[in-house]
Amino acid sequence: MKSPMLTTLRSKLRSTLRSKTRVQKPGTLKQTMLIAAAVSLVLLGSVAMMVRAADEKKSPVGKPALTVNTVKPQTSELVIKLVANGTITAWQETIVGAEVNGIRLNTVQVNVGDQVKRGQVMATFAPETVQAEWAQQRASVAEAEAAYAEARDNADRARTLDASGALSVQQINQYLTAAKTAEARLAAARAVANNAQIKLANTRVLAPDSGVVSARTATVGAVVQSGQELFRLIRNNRLEWRAEVTAAELDKVHIGQAVAVLTPSGKTIAGRVRMLAPTVDVQTRSTIVYVDLPMTGTGANHADSSNARAGMFAKGEFELGKSAALTLPRQAVVVRDGFSYVFAIKPATDAKTSTTNSTLNATESRVVQVKIKTGRRAGERVEIIEGVTANQLIVGTGAGFLNDGDLVSVLANTAESTANTAKQSPASAVISNQKASTKPAP
């Protein structure tokens, strides 16, 4: 579209050239045409610059880098936790050993990981030698019983003849002593026979308590000595977590306190503090806190559905209470170069940028990268310790693709929906924030 100013200038230039052409000479005409051409170029350049400036005023500042939604920091109730490390161990470990000496191990009926009950047969020794010894002792008992019966009868007859004087006092005492001696020998023979019977019973290795077999050294055919370890049991499948807590943090822990133990597989086990060690280690200056873990499962999964095992190194969190905290969705926080940042929407009334922002559309704004300090985490919410205020608008999704000063397009009604959510109670706000944070960005 041609400018009216340009058309007027061109018409005046043509009329001037016609008048000059009628009266001027040929040499002067050439100079006049050159001057007119130069003036035309200057006028054309000025008009082009004016048109360009007018177009720039009508055009936008630039294309938005991203379409984002905004959120406001909200106050939520977060749990105060004390983090500690420790080892998962057996509550009590039972050692099952051999009670016979120099006898061959005949059978082994359990293996590592097997669940056993109290009194269950775990292994057997060859009983032939012990059975023969017991038979011999029973024969000795029968012989002692016969000798005692004879000595007792002689003593009874001697007592009846005491009044008649047929036997001297010395002879009578000899019969009475022989009866008591025979009685003592019978008791000794019976004790030896009972010992042989116990030894025969010990050829069957029984579980002293219910639990799971954690170790086995028994080998079929081995001749073991008395007291040698054969098996180890975790009593009642009961495990505990032994946390190392510093002396400065010990006053925050008490018996019955809830603990969340995180296994290496990433699963969480709920436990309770059972007791605190009465002493502090002089080397590490830490105290052992004993945390009971639930007893569920059988067989291989003897500890819990999380498959916790004795000997695992685990991290745990002691719940110390709750406190109010300013939180943002996890996706609103960006970690760069080891520091945490959020992108805040620059206010339109900012003095430094009021001129620039006046050219933006109603849904377009610039963002400012703000360094923050984070704290506790609860699901999809992150505690903001410092860096932002409760009234700031923060980019909710897509923050990882932005840089400081980028132009973004803000979705309509996001600030209003965030403000409505903030009016909810702390508990419901946490739930709604978690749902909102998992909603995919448009």
Side-chain angles (χ1 to χ4, degrees), residues 60-64 357 359-366 407-410:
V61 175
K63 184 178 180 181
N357 287 349
T359 61
L360 301 179
N361 295 333
T363 59
E364 294 177 357
S365 299
R366 294 198 179 273
L407 178 65
V408 296
S409 177
V410 180

Side-chain angles (χ1 to χ4, degrees), residues 127-187:
E128 291 82 5
T129 303
V130 182
Q131 287 176 346
E133 183 179 348
W134 186 40
Q136 182 181 0
Q137 296 303 326
R138 284 187 297 171
S140 298
V141 170
E143 182 181 358
E145 287 176 346
Y148 170 65
E150 182 182 2
R152 183 185 56 193
D153 292 340
N154 291 336
D156 291 341
R157 284 191 293 268
R159 289 191 188 94
T160 58
L161 296 175
D162 184 17
S164 64
L167 294 175
S168 64
V169 176
Q170 182 179 3
Q171 289 176 327
I172 293 175
N173 289 337
Q174 287 178 351
Y175 284 118
L176 296 177
T177 302
K180 291 181 179 180
T181 302
E183 184 180 6
R185 287 175 179 172
L186 175 60

Side-chain angles (χ1 to χ4, degrees), residues 72-290:
K72 282 187 177 182
Q74 298 179 13
T75 301
S76 305
E77 290 287 334
L78 297 184
V79 178
I80 303 174
K81 298 179 180 179
L82 171 64
V83 180
N85 296 319
T87 304
I88 298 176
T89 60
W91 167 63
Q92 286 185 2
E93 199 168 32
T94 302
I95 298 177
V96 182
E99 298 184 67
V100 293
N101 186 34
I103 300 179
R104 175 176 53 86
L105 191 60
N106 198 19
T107 62
V108 177
Q109 300 182 11
V110 295
N111 209 336
V112 174
D114 289 347
Q115 183 82 14
V116 297
K117 295 182 178 180
R118 185 184 183 93
Q120 180 179 335
V121 178
M122 303 178 68
T124 60
F125 289 91
E128 291 82 5
T129 303
V130 182
Q131 287 176 346
E133 183 179 348
W134 186 40
Q136 182 181 0
Q137 296 303 326
R138 284 187 297 171
S140 298
V141 170
E143 182 181 358
E145 287 176 346
Y148 170 65
E150 182 182 2
R152 183 185 56 193
D153 292 340
N154 291 336
D156 291 341
R157 284 191 293 268
R159 289 191 188 94
T160 58
L161 296 175
D162 184 17
S164 64
L167 294 175
S168 64
V169 176
Q170 182 179 3
Q171 289 176 327
I172 293 175
N173 289 337
Q174 287 178 351
Y175 284 118
L176 296 177
T177 302
K180 291 181 179 180
T181 302
E183 184 180 6
R185 287 175 179 172
L186 175 60
R190 285 175 176 173
V192 174
N194 289 336
N195 185 42
Q197 186 178 8
I198 293 173
K199 190 175 180 179
L200 180 61
N202 288 339
T203 58
R204 299 167 70 243
V205 181
L206 306 180
D209 203 350
S210 299
V212 65
V213 180
S214 59
R216 173 198 134 178
T217 57
T219 304
V220 175
V223 178
V224 301
Q225 302 300 317
S226 179
Q228 181 175 336
E229 179 181 327
L230 300 177
F231 305 95
R232 285 192 180 221
L233 295 179
I234 298 177
R235 290 189 62 190
N236 300 322
N237 303 339
R238 186 172 171 182
L239 298 179
E240 65 181 11
W241 178 57
R242 298 180 182 178
E244 297 181 4
V245 179
T246 62
E249 300 170 335
L250 190 59
D251 59 343
K252 301 177 183 178
V253 181
H254 58 270
I255 296 176
Q257 192 171 17
V259 183
V261 181
L262 183 65
T263 63
S265 62
K267 297 183 179 179
T268 303
I269 306 175
R272 292 275 176 187
V273 176
R274 177 170 55 87
M275 65 170 292
L276 281 69
T279 59
V280 177
D281 190 278
V282 296
Q283 300 294 332
T284 62
R285 301 300 178 186
S286 61
T287 301
I288 301 298
V289 178
Y290 299 88

